[in-house]
Amino acid sequence: MTTTTDLRAEAEKILIGNTVTENGRTYTIPTHGLYPHQWNWDSAICAAGWMHIDVERAWRELETLLASQDKDGMVPHIAFNPDAGTYQPGPEWWGNRVGGDGRKISCISQPPVAAITLRLLFDLTKDIKRATRLIEPLQRWHDWWLNTRDPEGRGEPVIVHPWETGRDNSVEWDDALDRAPVSTTEFERVDTGFVAAEQRPTKKHYATYIGLIEQFKTMGYEQRRMAQASGFRVNDPGVSSILAAACYDLGDVAAKCGNPGAAERAKAQSETIADALDDRRDSDGRVWTENLMNDQTIKRYTVGLGIQLIQPVLDDPVVTTLMADVLTGPVASRWGVASTSPEDPAFEPVNYWRGPVWASASWLVVQGMLRHGKTGEARELSNRILAAVTTGGFNEYHEPTTGEGIGGGAFSWTAAVTLDLLARFENE
Ligand code: 2M8
């Protein structure tokens, strides 16, 4: 029988094993082989695990991530490890762009979870000095989302590539992707050398992921232009809700660090996003993805709905609806929250973000429930996530019916959320 002590020890071992130090930098890679670089929201979630075993490493994780920030404020979805060469598309596909600390970086971002972790870490350590140093880069990144990436002033960022949502091949993007440019360049699929092809995005999806990157090159990777003219443009309530929470949390930390100006500004940004989401909230309480390519609303039940719970200010009936969706409704699973509802015609139980349960995304839903004081429900969801890890292992994702561990193995964010959930709910 696996005890919580065993789980903790195994999770810690995975985070330590996935630690990379190169050129004086230290960070956690998602897993060896498949993802050998620093990924944005992975690192933010890893820091939430590190903080229970080594607060120094938790701070360092966020600091290293933000050090890769681009001049315009963007924090890239990947900061490339110069010592690892296998991953495709590598830096050459992004014009060999260089971030603030000299690492090569990609030219798109990922869900801004970092400020959410900063608040958790600050509340635990009360380290004003270290938090203060992170406030400015986080503010610049949030500004980037809300200015450069919102050319029409909608109050929500325009997502220009499915990878920016973190939920790469989720069914919500199918419609917009059908209109996206398709690359004809020969592209080497390194990923399927590590994970079975049936668990990864299709060849056709990759041709559009690459087609979009090639299109960004023709735009000189100019972010505002990308927001105006990318061949894939959506408003994702998942990213928007995370950004609303990130701004709120940054404001909270700034206030506690004695910076009322930054606090006020960040809280105002959070309200702007909340208003934009409320304006397009359905009468049933949910906010759906907006395909900006044809102004269509995409009504698909995915974990993106549960992630909306992270938004700090929500009316009670909305919280009740979203919680029912994830605990007993269309995306409920005994192992966490299914990335896509089994009732969706495009549901695939082992394919990546089209069905499997992800501990990482399910953890964000737990964090959302806790914000709204729903401790009992959060504990129930936490139990499901921990059951998946116990049954299926520390995999990248789990099959939503059997709990079988699939995708990459010894996965950092699965280990990190295990440590956080054990600390929060099982601290006997
Ligand atoms: C997956 O995405 C990358 C591209 O960013 C890939 O498939 O190559 C996604 O699950 C993403 O959310 C995650 O951050 C990344 C690393 O774990 O892998």
Side-chain angles (χ1 to χ4, degrees):
M1 210 191 88
T2 317
T3 64
T4 54
T5 314
D6 297 337
L7 276 186
R8 246 187 225 111
E10 180 64 16
E12 185 169 345
K13 208 169 105 197
I14 289 173
L15 285 187
I16 292 169
N18 287 340
T19 296
V20 162
T21 300
E22 44 92 356
N23 299 297
R25 283 184 285 269
T26 298
Y27 50 89
T28 320
I29 59 168
T31 187
H32 287 279
L34 184 62
Y35 307 123
H37 306 292
Q38 185 174 25
W39 256 264
N40 188 323
W41 73 328
D42 294 66
S43 265
I45 294 173
C46 284
W50 276 116
M51 74 183 188
H52 301 292
I53 50 176
D54 182 351
V55 290
E56 162 61 32
R57 268 305 313 274
W59 282 109
R60 186 82 76 84
E61 193 72 31
L62 294 181
E63 288 160 0
T64 309
L65 171 65
L66 291 164
S68 71
Q69 186 162 40
D70 203 355
K71 281 190 285 296
D72 64 357
M74 181 197 73
V75 181
H77 97 296
I78 301 175
F80 290 98
N81 171 4
D83 301 336
T86 49
Y87 182 80
Q88 286 295 334
E92 59 287 357
W93 290 86
W94 304 100
N96 284 313
R97 197 173 190 84
V98 175
D101 62 0
R103 274 181 294 175
K104 304 249 172 91
I105 56 171
S106 66
C107 299
I108 54 170
S109 198
Q110 248 191 346
V113 176
I116 296 173
T117 311
L118 169 68
R119 184 179 178 195
L120 297 174
L121 186 55
F122 179 80
D123 286 346
L124 186 76
T125 63
K126 309 277 185 289
D127 190 334
I128 294 186
K129 214 163 133 201
R130 258 177 133 158
T132 299
R133 283 205 295 262
L134 294 180
I135 292 173
E136 197 257 352
L138 283 166
Q139 180 72 67
R140 291 211 306 127
W141 185 22
H142 297 170
D143 286 351
W144 173 86
W145 278 117
L146 287 168
N147 297 320
T148 309
R149 278 303 192 80
D150 183 17
E152 287 177 25
R154 288 167 164 259
E156 283 182 74
V158 176
I159 302 302
V160 302
H161 194 291
W163 287 344
E164 282 199 317
T165 68
R167 311 190 312 279
D168 300 8
N169 69 344
S170 179
V171 296
E172 291 145 295
W173 327 133
D174 287 1
D175 191 51
L177 270 184
D178 277 346
R179 290 151 225 271
V182 179
S183 171
T184 51
T185 312
E186 196 58 45
F187 179 76
E188 190 199 352
R189 288 289 297 272
V190 181
D191 60 325
T192 46
F194 295 105
V195 171
E198 57 165 11
Q199 297 174 20
R200 295 287 306 172
T202 59
K203 196 166 178 221
K204 181 162 181 273
H205 274 152
Y206 257 89
T208 52
Y209 300 155
I210 299 301
L212 285 165
I213 298 173
E214 289 175 335
Q215 189 189 45
F216 300 154
K217 185 176 179 192
T218 69
M219 298 176 182
Y221 308 103
E222 213 268 286
Q223 296 289 341
R224 201 168 179 84
R225 255 188 94 194
M226 286 156 65
Q228 283 162 333
S230 165
F232 175 94
R233 293 191 311 281
V234 300
N235 279 147
D236 166 26
V239 170
S240 297
S241 301
I242 290 171
L243 184 60
C247 291
Y248 188 92
D249 289 359
L250 187 65
D252 183 75
V253 173
K256 290 172 182 157
C257 289
N259 188 342
E264 222 171 279
R265 194 185 143 121
K267 291 264 161 106
Q269 286 180 323
S270 182
E271 279 163 28
T272 300
I273 306 160
D275 288 347
L277 287 166
D278 278 342
D279 278 352
R280 62 190 194 86
R281 191 175 299 285
D282 209 333
S283 54
D284 63 17
R286 303 177 180 93
V287 182
W288 303 102
T289 290
E290 194 68 19
N291 178 359
L292 302 172
M293 308 300 292
N294 60 3
D295 293 327
Q296 293 291 306
T297 302
I298 308 295
K299 296 196 179 187
R300 310 288 283 264
Y301 287 87
T302 73
V303 66
L305 285 170
I307 290 176
Q308 291 177 33
L309 281 165
I310 199 116
Q311 211 194 300
V313 185
L314 286 176
D315 290 342
D316 280 348
V318 172
V319 173
T320 305
T321 300
L322 296 174
M323 279 201 322
D325 283 346
V326 297
L327 288 176
T328 52
V331 284
S333 154
R334 57 183 285 220
W335 311 107
V337 182
S339 49
T340 297
S341 164
E343 286 149 38
D344 191 290
F347 168 78
E348 288 178 65
V350 300
N351 189 276
Y352 210 41
W353 290 92
R354 297 173 85 80
V357 166
W358 291 68
S360 51
S362 302
W363 176 82
L364 285 172
V365 182
V366 171
Q367 290 296 324
M369 289 173 171
L370 290 174
R371 274 174 198 262
H372 300 288
K374 306 293 180 190
T375 320
E377 289 84 350
R379 178 183 288 277
E380 166 60 27
L381 184 51
S382 168
N383 287 341
R384 295 183 192 182
I385 300 169
L386 294 175
V389 174
T390 309
T391 306
F394 286 85
N395 284 61
E396 187 179 11
Y397 38 95
H398 294 86
E399 206 273 358
T401 314
T402 63
E404 184 198 349
I406 48 181
F411 217 84
S412 293
W413 64 15
T414 310
V417 312
T418 299
L419 288 169
D420 186 60
L421 296 175
L422 288 174
R424 262 169 230 291
F425 297 105
E426 308 285 332
N427 225 349
E428 62 287 87

